[in-house]
Structures are given as structure tokens and as C-alpha cells.
Amino acid sequence: MMMLRCYPVSNMFMFRFNYKHVGLCYNRLSVPFGSLNHHNHNIGFHSQPINSTNDSPLSGLEHVLMDYLFGKKKSTEVAHSIWKHVVKKGDAAVDATCGNGYDTLAMVNMVADESCNGHVYSMDIQESALQNTACLLDKSLDLNKRNMVELFATCHSKMEEVVPRGATVRLVAFNLGYLPGSDKTVITKSETTLLGMQTASRILASGGLISMLVYVGHPGGMEEYETVEGFASGLSVNEWICCKLQMMNKPLAPVLVLLCKR
């Protein structure tokens, strides 16, 4: 079972899929995000035929969500698909935990325009993570795109020190937990993650997104998740839309938390 939950303030909206397999259908939220308020206590999904046009700015995203629901997509793939509907060419993006570099690589391809405008600020406290990211970028990007990425050996709590003031930051992404393939005792911490979220909320442009993939299966992971949820639930409903995507019968599966700045 999958849960998509929005929690702008104290009230918590729970969206349940009422899926009907009738030909080629997708499930769509019947109330747009912009109209959510504390009066919407029961919000359902309904099925409609897929529109083959690309008029909607979220065209194609419904397929990714349905694939996730039926176990065909990972939460990382859902996150990347959502980013593509938020990030604009020429924007700045921040990878707050660069890990092995796959998020950074995705970001630079999203922000790069024909003149290679746009910029990605990527950081990690582990030297191995920065080396892995640099190696991936060097073999995956041409020189012009590679020059759009800066790598910093610093904590995400200090991102305000490396992102220039006035930059149009449309996306800040966190992968919380430990570096895959590395020392599992070196993990992100609740204290610095909270500082990082606070900083990200300040530098993010209107219409931007803080994307957080929270791994909970390691010691300290659930505590960090509770910190993330507490921060999100305390944001102003007038300024933020906060959602999470979670598998309810897989308690150790990562949780995707999305904080959208109005």
C-alpha cells in the first residue's frame, strides 16, 4: 500500500488511490494543489482516460506515480521525474548530499540550456563521495556542462556559504542516510539536516522545491525522518505545500518528502 500525504499545518491530508483498471486510465487528484486548504478533509482520486496531448505542465508524471504504486519505479525515479517539472533551463540547483553523483548529473542536464547557462552546487562531507561524483561527471558530460557544476567539501548545513546570494535556486535535494557502498556508520545527522532544511528554505526561489529522500532502515534513520516531518509540518500553509510519498507496508522503505515553496 502506498500513502501520499500532505501536511501543510496541523491538519494532515491523506490521499488514497481508488484505482479502477478500465482500459488505459490514470488516477488524478480531483482538487489541484493550489486549492488545498483546511476545508478539504476528504479528497479522492478518480480515473480518467489518458490525454495524449502535452498541454499539462505535469504531463507524463501520472505514469511514473502509477509505476511506483505497482512496484515498477523506485522513489529516486519518482523524485527525478518531479524535478523535471519544477526546474527550468538556466536555474540553479543544489545537491546537498552528492553521494555517488547521480542526482548531481540529473540536475545539470535539467538546468543546462543551449548556452550552458544554469549551475549546480554539489556538496558532501565525505571525500570519497566527491571523488565518485567528479568521476561520474567527467565521463558523462562534455566540458561545457562539466563546468556548470561546482563540488564542495562541506556540510549541507553550510550551503548558504557556497551558493551566491541572488541565485535563482529552483531545487535543493537531500539523500539522507549513508553513502551506498561506503562506511555505513557515517550517516547524515538530524541536527545538521535540520540546519540544512532551514537554510534551503531561505535560499529557495518561489515555485521551487526541496526534495528529500529519507532512508529510515539504519540506526538514527527514523529519528532523522521524524526531524524532517516535524520541520515540514511546521511550515506555513500560506507559503508551502508539503507532501510525502511512503509505502505503508514496507516500514524500512525510503520516504520521499517534497516541500514546495509557493
Side-chain angles (χ1 to χ4, degrees):
M1 182 180 293
M2 182 186 73
M3 176 174 64
L4 174 62
R5 178 177 288 175
C6 283
Y7 38 98
V9 281
S10 58
N11 289 336
M12 196 167 281
F13 302 107
M14 186 170 182
F15 305 108
R16 292 186 177 89
F17 284 89
N18 297 318
Y19 182 70
K20 297 180 180 178
H21 186 73
V22 182
L24 191 61
C25 296
Y26 71 94
N27 290 308
R28 187 179 66 182
L29 184 63
S30 60
V31 179
F33 270 165
S35 65
L36 289 179
N37 56 52
H38 65 280
H39 298 298
N40 300 119
H41 296 298
N42 297 296
I43 302 175
F45 284 79
H46 61 275
S47 296
Q48 287 197 0
I50 294 176
N51 189 342
S52 60
T53 68
N54 293 319
D55 295 337
S56 169
L58 299 181
S59 176
L61 187 56
E62 65 275 3
H63 302 292
V64 177
L65 290 173
M66 292 308 299
D67 282 346
Y68 174 78
L69 174 63
F70 289 104
K72 297 178 181 179
K73 293 286 187 183
K74 297 180 180 180
S75 50
T76 51
E77 296 174 287
V78 176
H80 285 194
S81 296
I82 292 172
W83 298 356
K84 292 177 182 178
H85 291 89
V86 175
V87 174
K88 302 176 182 177
K89 299 297 184 183
D91 280 343
V94 177
D95 188 349
T97 49
C98 69
N100 288 318
Y102 295 104
D103 286 349
T104 297
L105 178 61
M107 288 177 182
V108 69
N109 285 321
M110 291 177 197
V111 303
D113 59 17
E114 293 181 356
S115 301
C116 284
N117 293 313
H119 209 83
V120 177
Y121 304 89
S122 187
M123 61 200 71
D124 208 294
I125 61 171
Q126 295 188 72
E127 184 63 30
S128 58
L130 296 168
Q131 291 175 354
N132 293 347
T133 298
C135 182
L136 178 66
L137 298 177
D138 289 343
K139 71 179 183 181
S140 303
L141 300 174
D142 61 37
L143 183 60
N144 289 330
K145 282 189 175 181
R146 178 63 182 85
N147 289 335
M148 296 171 59
V149 184
E150 289 186 78
L151 300 177
F152 299 92
T154 190
C155 176
H156 46 241
S157 63
K158 299 180 179 180
M159 72 176 75
E160 215 163 11
E161 298 177 10
V162 301
V163 178
R165 183 170 298 182
T168 305
V169 178
R170 197 79 59 184
L171 172 66
V172 180
F174 297 77
N175 263 334
L176 300 177
Y178 56 83
L179 176 64
S182 186
D183 185 353
K184 294 183 179 181
T185 65
V186 180
I187 60 174
T188 52
K189 302 288 189 179
S190 297
E191 298 81 7
T192 50
T193 295
L194 177 58
L195 293 173
M197 291 187 294
Q198 292 169 342
T199 301
S201 68
R202 290 194 295 268
I203 69 173
L204 193 70
S206 295
L209 175 71
I210 300 174
S211 173
M212 314 193 73
L213 194 58
V214 190
Y215 290 85
V216 298
H218 61 280
M222 188 57 69
E223 176 188 349
E224 189 169 33
Y225 168 65
E226 290 171 355
T227 298
V228 170
E229 190 174 51
F231 175 80
S233 62
L235 292 173
S236 168
V237 67
N238 295 320
E239 299 177 6
W240 294 87
I241 299 171
C242 305
C243 303
K244 68 178 179 180
L245 197 62
Q246 182 179 29
M247 286 291 182
M248 296 181 68
N249 63 343
K250 293 183 178 180
L252 300 184
V255 182
L256 179 60
V257 178
L258 303 168
L259 313 180
C260 310
K261 193 172 187 178
R262 294 183 185 273

